[in-house]
Amino acid sequence: MKRSHQETYLEQQEAPSMAEYGKKLQSSSVGGGDDNIDELLAALGYKVRSSDMADVANKLEQLEMVLSNDVVGSSNSFLNDTVHYNPSDLSGWAQTMLSGLSYYPDLDPTRVCDLRPITDDDECCCSSNSSNNKRIRLGPWYDSVSSESTRSVVLVEETGIRLVQALVACAEAVQQENLSLADALVKHVGSLAASQAGAMGKVATYFAEALARRIYRIHPSSAAVDPSFEELLQMNFYDSSPYLKFAHFTANQAILEAVTMARSVHVIDLGLNQGMQWPALMQALALRPGGPPSFRLTGVGAPSNREGIQELGWKLAQLAQAVGVEFEFNALTTERLSDLEPDMFETRPESETLVVNSVFELHPVLAQPGSIEELLATVKAVKPSIVTVVEQEANHNGVVFLDRFNEALHYYSSLFDSLEDSVVIPGQDRVMSEVYLGRQILNVVAAEGTERVERHETLDQWRRRMRSAGFDPVNLGYDAFKQASLLLALFGGGDGYRVEENDGSLMLA
Amino acid sequence: MSEKRIGMIEKSNNKRQRVTQDRPEFSINDHHDVLVEILRRLDGPSLCSAACVCRLWSAVARNDSIWEELCFQQVSPRPSLSLRSVVSALGGYRCLYFLCIRPVLARLPKLLWTRDQLQLSLSLYCVHYYERLYVGAWIGDAPPSSLMFLRKPVNVV
């Protein structure tokens, strides 16, 4: 009977529950040898003293109860996070499991999708978990645990959904001006989010904070933010994720294709920031067959940063000298982009090809009604050969708060997920990128009127706007697509990052 | 050491001995230009091992033309000479190889090494140079990190 029990245990996919097994252990051990180590379990690879058998069986029963009764379904992340160094020590393992489960009520819904029902031996277990950094070294026990874990998978998804539902309910309450209900819900969301590990928890925390600010009408004033801190955050975001790099490289490709024959190029950058886009363009121009054109850059920035922009100009000039491109730099400072006038740019239409570039600079202009039309009219008046526009593909500018909230929740959840999954970034940089995105979330949800500058709109909306301002769309070539795919392949997101072509424009998904 | 190199040294050794019997033995270390020619024909890992042989070889291996050859090994239409001046200004082929090309090759081994990858590597290299220029002065001693994504290990599907 003992032998057949072993065989059935190893072969069956639906393993008997742990309590049953524990009981069988107890019964078989009574008739077992006087040796310290139980023979049956030793045959399976486990070292359990016969004297400890009853204790181990009890622990296993408790474990089973905890796993099946635990409403939060905490088992998954704990199983994923722990490395059991000596799994053959069954007693020790059961002990750590028990103590761990009571202290780790955390949940990670992003890892839910990595859990597949484990049906094979442990090689399969380990390989399916190898995408996580931490590996489980449970032995054949995983078979029986899997029946518990599939049950817990359902619980895990429920908790993630509950969090989203709570957030949406809170937003609805805010929409209906039911502030007392909203207040209560926000606190509930806060506690739920705190117990949720992973990307979902972080996103929920930011959204909860934004909702709280909206309820209490504490608007984050943008003047209070240190501009150098902003720069630091943006630099960090540039380094750690492919979004900005993709944007810059693709825009550069478009510019290169437009100025292939030009002897003199003038680029107007509506938001210079740190000028990370221009070194790559200058290098590409330097290596152009036929020699480099002369390159003139007009950077637009905020008046508070005048010296910073001049400094930047100097550095770019140094780079240009190194690569052998004739370079001229001009700084323009203005509080609002719509205040720009065509003659401020000092264009030389007879000799140069003009390019206007805007990376995430157009959507804040939507905060003031009528400004975007002014700005686009100015741009049109300057008569550029090509205008490159990079914007977020999202609908965060709807009139109804609830719609905006839902859209933003989806959008930022996927962004946070992408940061989470890519193993490339060290922890501190990831936190800074999250802070960067968190500030955007704050603005979308909590601010209103002219303060709300993160007014993202979809591609179609922007297309219509540009068309009505008198611009014709130009399709991006195949080179741009190839380069973008290559860049994303380097980032190693696997199937996470994708380049999509949408009627001539490229999108990073 | 690769067998090709040993073979070439032996061949040149034998030739010398056949031509003039009373000349002293041939030592490759006396002929740096020949050494450079040999090192040029090596692949990445062999070249790196060669650079670890001794101080002399390490110094000779710093010759940028060797690394230039390595970077363009598989690119069929040879890039123009103006590329050389640009790359030297940005820090040289050796740094380009270590910072950009080697990680890119490691990360995308199945891809054919064409002009596109080269162009992308150059762009990234340029951004790195600029970051050293601009950010280095501003943040202080934080190293430029735009290429960090290439250095960290990653799961590539």
Side-chain angles (χ1 to χ4, degrees):
Chain A
M1 190 197 87
K2 294 176 194 172
R3 192 122 322 206
S4 63
H5 168 73
Q6 273 180 54
E7 280 165 11
T8 49
Y9 174 72
L10 284 173
E11 280 163 32
Q12 265 175 19
Q13 307 310 326
E14 297 84 38
S17 74
M18 281 195 274
E20 270 181 55
Y21 191 70
K23 289 204 186 85
K24 287 207 174 88
L25 266 180
Q26 264 181 318
S27 58
S28 59
S29 73
V30 170
D34 294 322
D35 294 342
N36 248 349
I37 309 292
D38 180 69
E39 292 160 14
L40 285 175
L41 287 178
L44 284 174
Y46 291 98
K47 299 191 188 57
V48 182
R49 286 201 208 89
S50 316
S51 41
D52 286 346
M53 284 293 228
D55 188 41
V56 169
N58 271 332
K59 283 191 194 144
L60 291 172
E61 271 196 62
Q62 284 177 35
L63 199 55
E64 204 229 352
M65 281 201 335
V66 170
L67 279 176
S68 48
N69 293 344
D70 199 352
V71 179
V72 184
S74 56
S75 51
N76 294 315
S77 80
F78 182 66
L79 287 175
N80 279 339
D81 285 347
T82 327
V83 169
H84 299 279
Y85 285 103
N86 189 9
S88 64
D89 177 16
L90 209 50
S91 155
W93 175 80
Q95 189 56 43
T96 50
M97 286 295 281
L98 275 175
S99 51
L101 281 171
S102 29
Y103 292 129
Y104 288 87
D106 291 345
L107 206 9
D108 192 357
T110 58
R111 291 195 215 186
V112 166
C113 19
D114 286 337
L115 268 177
R116 294 174 207 97
I118 311 293
T119 50
D120 297 335
D121 50 284
D122 34 321
E123 275 94 50
C124 181
C125 300
C126 292
S127 61
S128 69
N129 281 322
S130 60
S131 55
N132 299 332
N133 265 336
K134 304 135 189 165
R135 292 167 51 120
I136 300 184
R137 305 228 185 99
L138 297 174
W141 273 105
Y142 211 70
D143 279 8
S144 68
V145 170
S146 69
S147 57
E148 263 69 43
S149 56
T150 41
R151 240 188 290 161
S152 315
V153 163
V154 176
L155 295 170
V156 161
E157 285 174 346
E158 275 181 24
T159 318
I161 293 177
R162 261 196 280 157
L163 188 51
V164 171
Q165 282 175 342
L167 275 170
V168 173
C170 185
E172 272 171 4
V174 171
Q175 164 95 349
Q176 290 151 9
E177 305 278 330
N178 188 347
L179 295 180
S180 48
L181 173 62
D183 190 32
L185 281 170
V186 144
K187 295 197 172 76
H188 180 59
V189 169
S191 58
L192 270 182
S195 61
Q196 186 106 321
M200 192 63 218
K202 292 177 196 160
V203 171
T205 319
Y206 280 112
F207 272 95
E209 188 192 334
L211 279 170
R213 281 182 188 259
R214 194 184 176 90
I215 294 169
Y216 295 115
R217 306 229 190 281
I218 316 168
H219 291 313
S221 84
S222 44
V225 174
D226 193 9
S228 60
F229 182 60
E230 282 260 21
E231 272 194 44
L232 189 65
L233 283 181
Q234 197 164 32
M235 269 305 257
N236 188 281
F237 191 62
Y238 181 86
D239 286 339
S240 46
S241 64
Y243 302 106
L244 281 182
K245 284 203 184 75
F246 162 78
H248 288 174
F249 282 21
T250 313
N252 284 345
Q253 193 66 30
I255 298 176
L256 280 171
E257 282 166 16
V259 302
T260 37
M261 289 287 114
R263 291 307 320 157
S264 172
V265 178
H266 180 190
V267 174
I268 299 176
D269 191 359
L270 292 180
L272 194 53
N273 294 317
Q274 296 86 36
M276 297 295 282
Q277 188 176 352
W278 308 117
L281 183 66
M282 282 201 272
Q283 174 260 312
L285 286 176
L287 296 172
R288 201 174 69 157
S294 71
F295 183 64
R296 194 172 148 220
L297 177 65
T298 300
V300 178
S304 50
N305 199 16
R306 205 176 174 95
E307 297 94 37
I309 302 184
Q310 289 291 3
E311 173 97 22
L312 212 144
W314 274 116
K315 303 284 186 220
L316 283 172
Q318 263 181 287
L319 178 71
Q321 199 188 27
V323 300
V325 174
E326 219 181 290
F327 182 67
E328 211 186 303
F329 182 74
N330 219 5
L332 269 183
T333 52
T334 172
E335 192 63 57
R336 293 190 332 191
L337 282 180
S338 47
D339 292 341
L340 289 170
E341 295 293 325
D343 41 5
M344 281 182 177
F345 298 117
E346 291 165 21
T347 60
R348 302 165 200 156
E350 46 317 314
S351 58
E352 63 186 18
T353 314
L354 191 61
V355 174
V356 175
N357 180 72
S358 142
V359 175
F360 298 145
E361 291 296 329
L362 287 189
H363 64 258
V365 182
L366 295 173
Q368 276 112 11
S371 301
I372 187 74
E373 285 84 13
E374 268 184 61
L375 175 61
L376 288 177
T378 311
V379 171
K380 181 98 178 119
V382 176
K383 295 205 204 15
S385 311
I386 186 165
V387 178
T388 49
V389 174
V390 176
E391 285 293 327
Q392 289 100 335
E393 163 72 5
N395 192 352
H396 297 160
N397 202 16
V399 180
V400 182
F401 169 72
L402 193 57
D403 294 338
R404 277 206 318 264
F405 185 84
N406 282 328
E407 288 280 328
L409 191 57
H410 281 269
Y411 180 77
Y412 284 104
S413 304
S414 8
L415 273 186
F416 270 77
D417 268 343
S418 74
L419 286 181
E420 190 83 13
D421 287 340
S422 109
V423 200
V424 186
I425 333 170
Q428 196 202 356
D429 289 343
R430 187 191 306 166
V431 169
M432 288 185 63
S433 305
E434 285 164 8
V435 171
Y436 176 78
L437 292 174
R439 288 163 50 74
Q440 286 184 2
I441 295 176
L442 220 59
N443 196 282
V444 173
V445 174
E448 270 308 329
T450 50
E451 290 244 326
R452 178 158 64 90
V453 293
E454 299 289 342
R455 292 178 184 252
H456 310 150
E457 289 197 341
T458 60
L459 179 61
D460 291 324
Q461 283 169 302
W462 283 114
R463 270 214 194 107
R464 262 180 275 139
R465 242 183 245 282
M466 297 298 279
R467 205 165 267 152
S468 60
F471 294 102
D472 295 318
V474 175
N475 290 352
L476 286 167
Y478 183 59
D479 280 340
F481 185 84
K482 259 198 304 187
Q483 189 186 65
S485 314
L486 202 55
L487 181 66
L488 293 177
L490 283 179
F491 261 90
D495 42 2
Y497 292 120
R498 266 188 343 271
V499 187
E500 281 174 6
E501 199 257 338
N502 183 331
D503 202 17
S505 316
L506 286 184
M507 299 206 291
L508 170 56
Chain B
M1 284 213 271
S2 78
E3 294 170 356
K4 201 162 130 191
R5 191 153 74 238
I6 297 175
M8 289 185 77
I9 294 176
E10 284 181 356
K11 220 167 70 167
S12 66
N13 267 341
N14 288 338
K15 237 191 191 160
R16 291 264 168 180
Q17 281 167 2
R18 261 185 271 124
V19 169
T20 47
Q21 295 291 340
D22 42 13
R23 279 261 183 99
E25 261 185 32
F26 177 84
S27 166
I28 190 68
N29 291 338
D30 295 334
H31 303 266
H32 296 181
D33 47 352
V34 178
L35 185 54
V36 166
E37 282 301 316
I38 296 172
L39 292 179
R40 260 184 179 204
R41 286 153 173 80
L42 291 179
D43 63 319
S46 311
L47 185 50
C48 296
S49 334
C52 300
V53 164
C54 64
R55 241 179 259 166
L56 175 67
W57 282 42
S58 169
V60 171
R62 280 178 197 270
N63 190 326
D64 223 26
S65 62
I66 301 178
W67 300 95
E68 179 184 3
E69 192 72 35
L70 182 61
C71 292
F72 298 141
Q73 252 176 10
Q74 290 138 345
V75 179
S76 48
R78 263 314 158 85
S80 55
L81 285 172
S82 56
L83 183 58
R84 193 178 289 173
S85 58
V86 171
V87 177
S88 331
L90 293 177
Y93 280 101
R94 189 160 161 272
C95 291
L96 173 64
Y97 179 74
F98 278 114
L99 282 175
C100 299
I101 297 192
R102 192 162 71 111
V104 169
L105 276 175
R107 207 162 274 196
L108 305 170
K110 301 178 198 136
L111 230 57
L112 259 99
W113 185 250
T114 61
R115 294 193 68 95
D116 300 317
Q117 281 91 317
L118 185 62
Q119 187 59 30
L120 185 63
S121 310
L122 281 171
S123 306
L124 290 171
Y125 192 48
C126 198
V127 173
H128 173 84
Y129 174 83
Y130 173 68
E131 211 177 0
R132 263 191 358 241
L133 258 191
Y134 175 64
V135 178
W138 165 56
I139 291 189
D141 19 80
S145 50
S146 70
L147 292 180
M148 199 194 310
F149 76 99
L150 280 178
R151 279 185 240 140
K152 297 283 173 177
V154 95
N155 290 322
V156 181
V157 170

